Structure formats: C-alpha cells, structure tokens
C-alpha cells in the first residue's frame, strides 16, 4: 500500500495534514478481526464507530450485497421505488416504538439529523407558527454538517470557529445522574428552566437518548429522558431522538429510548442500519407530523438526496435487520455488559483512572490525563487490539459477536496502557 501517498495527499478524520498521525493499513477483516498489511491481526473494539455490530465480512450481508449488485446497484428514488426500500421500511416501521411510521431514507447520520431539524421547522411553518430554535443538551453530538453542528456541544464542535455561520440554539445542562445511580430530580432543573423560558420559540428538543456519545461518552439515567418527554408533551414541543449511535441493540435494548419507555416524535437512525457495510440513514416520524409538514404551503418535505434509498445499501440493511430479528443480540449485549461490569471497576484502582461506566455493549474508561494518541494507538496495535480513544476517553463498543476472550483482550490492553506512562500526555 502506498502509505507515503496516503500521508501526503489524503485527509483522515480529525487529523492534521501538517504532521499526520500514523494510519494503519488494513488488508481485510472478518468477524471481530481486522488484519493489517504488516501482518498483525487486531481484535476490534470499535465496531468501526458503532456500525459493524455483526462483525466484518458477514456471509449473510455479503450475500445480500452480491445479489443486489447483480440486479440494480442504484436507481433514483424520485418517481421510482424498489423492493429493497419497501422491505426495509416495513421492518423499520414494525421495529420502532409507538406510532413512528413514515420513513425518510438518506445517506448519513448527519443528513438524518439535518432532515429531522428541517421536518420540525416545516411542521411549525405549516401550522403558521414562527419557531426556529432548538433546545438541546451540553456534551451532545449530532454530526458534522452545519445544522447538526449547531446542536452539538458548543465547546466540542468549536462553535467559535464557525461563528456567524452557525445558527444559535439553546443548550441545557446535561444530566449528571449516571444510568446505574439513584435518580436525582434536580438534574432536570436547567432543562425545565430553558424550556419554559423559550417555550414559544422552540421548534423541537433534540438529544441522544441515554448515551451521549462523541460529546463525552456519558451514560445517563432513564428518568431524565422520561422527564424530557413529559415536559415536551406539556408544552406541545416536538422531541427528536438521535439514535444514530445507540440504535439497533447497542445499549441492550433495540432502541435506547426503550430504557425509559419513551417514544419520540422524530427518530434518527444510521450507522448500524447496514451492519456497518455502507452509509445509510433514516429519519422516521409519525403520520401526524408527516401530514402536518406536507399540509403546509410547500406541499411536501423539501429534501431529496441523489442516493436516497440506495438499493444496495437497503438490501444490506434488510439483511442486517434479519440478523437482528433472530434475537441473539439480546443475550450477546447482555453478556458483554456483564463482563464490563466485572472487569471495568478493577481499573478504578489505577491512579490514572477517573471513572469507568458501561451499558450494553459499551464500555468507557475515563482517564485523568489525555492520551498520547500516537503512542497509545501503537501500544494497542502491539497488544493486538483496535481501540481508538479521544482526549481522556478510552472506550469500547465491540461487535455483538465478541466472545468473552475478546473482551478480556481489549480490557487487558487498556490495563497495560495504564501501566505505560508514555501512553498519556501529562
Ligand atoms: N449523531 C450521533 C449520535 C452520532 O454518533 C453520529 C456519528 N458519530 C452522527 C449523528 C453523525 O453520523 P455520520 O457520521 O454518519 O454523519
């Protein structure tokens, strides 16, 4: 592989072109193993950013992709429909909670979020009300496009850098009570205050249910989400839940909102929708919201991406949903959660560790000092694992098919990193 070209010409996510971090050349991947061209085999602890829940190179997903590519890879969705999209939307309507039954397919998680925000704006426009603000939480993350960034934590997404371009929305304190802790009502105070202060301007509340991912890997109490739903109901404000990271079993429930028995007005899914094979997302809403949007002046929802409902992506997503329908994910994520609950508290003995937390197939280790990315990544590769931390967060979201020995290897690699001071910056 021409790594020199890669280093000199290719932008990698959140990596400087001036002095790029090492990129490891992958030659193939199967199950939970990623093979490097340099010969190492790594146990995957990331599911390629929450997506490859069934593992890599899965025969059922491969077969779906092969079959579909021999029939039609892509065809426009305007004025045309196809079986892969119909089958997938049937499944999504059936598996999502409550009355979520109108599906808008798009290309990525960030676009699903844009779509959800636009739906909320068009909803109020159609009702003849001027509402253009969104209420969200600090420490949240919703994607890298402009509207998604505008509801992402102002410090993490560096609002100051894009001042003037980003619309300014309302941020409430994120909940402090952890998932496994005793609920503290006070957690909702700031949210309640902001919501009542701005209730006539707010089009929708948008947040990540139960797990705030890239904004801090915070796992919060279901009562917070219940309280949010109730307050939105009291004030007639739409609730958008971004399940792009948490959806499809990751937290031990099919959707994280089920931990609180809450149904949103608009739901965003992505990432694991295709089992991590390719990019596809969906924004799903109720008939009431969809009918209101389409009953307005515009007469329809104003969005239509070129690759909307790409048949290849829909076919693989159907196969991924079929695997989920077999139900093994429940026992698998429960077993991973149990193992995290036994292994992670052990790490608290180490002075470099501030906190550990877990839920379903998510394990988080928070250190007191930021990691040295280059060094810790090299350490993980030497230990035969793929874990990519950020800042003070070393986190694992392994494929559901991971066996106890794989989880043990991942946690051992973190333990040895803690013992090697050079893996941390200070
Ligand atoms: N929302 C959440 C909660 C996410 O975790 C992500 C991706 N990290 C996104 C939105 C954006 O998705 P994508 O990267 O596919 O645009």
């Amino acid at each position: 592989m021409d790594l020199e070209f890669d280093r000199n010409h290719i932008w990698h996510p959140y990596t400087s072109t001036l002095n790029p971090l090492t990129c490891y050349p992958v030659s193939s991947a199967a199950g939970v193993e990623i093979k490097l061209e340099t010969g190492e085999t790594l146990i995957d602890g990331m599911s390629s950013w929450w997506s490859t829940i069934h593992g890599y190179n899965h025969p059922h997903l491969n077969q779906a992709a092969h079959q579909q590519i021999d029939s039609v890879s892509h065809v426009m969705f305007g004025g045309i429909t196809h079986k892969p999209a119909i089958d997938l939307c049937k499944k999504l309507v059936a598996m999502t909670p409550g009355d979520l039954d109108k599906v808008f397919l798009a290309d990525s998680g960030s676009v699903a979020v844009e779509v959800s925000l636009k739906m909320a704006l068009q909803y109020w426009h159609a009702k003849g009300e001027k509402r253009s603000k969104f209420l969200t939480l600090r420490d949240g993350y919703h994607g890298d496009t402009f509207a998604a960034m505008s509801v992402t934590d102002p410090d993490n997404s560096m609002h100051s850098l894009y001042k003037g371009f980003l619309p300014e929305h309302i941020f409430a304190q994120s909940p402090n009570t952890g998932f496994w802790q005793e609920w503290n009502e006070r957690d909702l105070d700031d949210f309640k205050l902001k919501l009542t202060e701005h209730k006539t301007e707010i089009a929708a509340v948008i947040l990540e249910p139960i797990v705030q991912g890239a904004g801090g890997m915070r796992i919060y109490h279901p009562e917070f989400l219940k309280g949010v739903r109730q307050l939105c109901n009291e004030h007639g404000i739409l609730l958008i839940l971004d399940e792009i990271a948490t959806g499809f079993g990751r937290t031990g429930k099919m959707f994280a909102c089920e931990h609180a028995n809450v149904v949103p007005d608009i739901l965003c899914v992505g990432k694991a929708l295709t089992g991590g094979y390719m990019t596809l997302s969906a924004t799903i809403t109720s008939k009431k919201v969809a009918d209101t949007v389409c009953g307005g002046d515009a007469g329809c929802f104003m969005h239509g991406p070129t690759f909307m409902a790409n048949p290849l992506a829909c076919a693989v997503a159907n196969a991924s949903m079929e695997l989920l329908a077999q139900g093994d994910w429940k026992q698998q994520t429960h077993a991973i959660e149990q193992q995290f609950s036994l292994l992670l508290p052990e790490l608290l003995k180490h002075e470099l560790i501030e906190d550990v937390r877990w839920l379903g197939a998510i394990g988080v280790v928070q250190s007191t000092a930021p990691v040295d990315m280059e060094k810790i990544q090299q350490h993980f590769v030497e230990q035969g694992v793929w874990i990519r931390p950020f800042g003070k967060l070393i986190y694992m979201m392994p494929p559901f098919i991971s066996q106890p020995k794989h989880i043990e290897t991942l946690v051992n690699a973190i333990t040895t990193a803690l013992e090697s001071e050079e893996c941390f910056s200070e």
Side-chain angles (χ1 to χ4, degrees), residues 237-272:
I237 290 171
L238 297 174
L239 175 61
I240 303 171
L241 291 184
D242 176 349
E243 291 250 15
I244 289 160
T246 49
F248 306 113
R250 177 59 63 183
T251 68
K253 299 273 187 196
M254 184 59 87
F255 296 100
C257 59
E258 292 169 29
H259 286 287
N261 281 324
V262 155
V263 181
D265 301 292
I266 306 178
L267 176 76
C268 302
V269 294
K271 289 185 183 282

Side-chain angles (χ1 to χ4, degrees), residues 50 108-111 113 141-143 208 242 244-245 271:
W50 313 81
S108 71
S110 300
V111 175
V113 169
Y141 176 84
H142 296 285
E208 297 154 280
D242 176 349
I244 289 160
K271 289 185 183 282

Side-chain angles (χ1 to χ4, degrees), residues 91-102:
K91 291 188 180 82
L92 289 174
V93 166
M95 70 202 287
T96 48
D99 57 354
L100 297 168
D101 59 6
K102 299 274 183 183

Side-chain angles (χ1 to χ4, degrees), residues 36-104:
L36 298 187
E37 202 185 50
T38 39
E40 296 93 336
T41 297
L42 312 180
I43 304 296
D44 181 28
M46 300 300 293
S47 297
S48 282
W49 281 334
W50 313 81
S51 66
T52 49
I53 53 176
H54 313 294
Y56 300 86
N57 214 345
H58 196 288
H60 190 58
L61 304 189
N62 287 2
Q63 192 198 17
H66 285 300
Q67 257 177 15
Q68 188 59 41
I69 213 165
D70 285 337
S71 134
V72 54
S73 297
H74 184 63
V75 60
M76 64 186 282
F77 210 49
I80 283 174
T81 194
H82 48 78
K83 191 169 181 313
I86 295 172
D87 289 350
L88 176 62
C89 294
K90 264 189 198 167
K91 291 188 180 82
L92 289 174
V93 166
M95 70 202 287
T96 48
D99 57 354
L100 297 168
D101 59 6
K102 299 274 183 183
V103 187
F104 189 98

Side-chain angles (χ1 to χ4, degrees), residues 103-120:
V103 187
F104 189 98
L105 295 165
D107 355 33
S108 71
S110 300
V111 175
V113 169
E114 300 282 327
V115 163
S116 72
L117 300 175
K118 284 174 69 174
M119 272 181 189

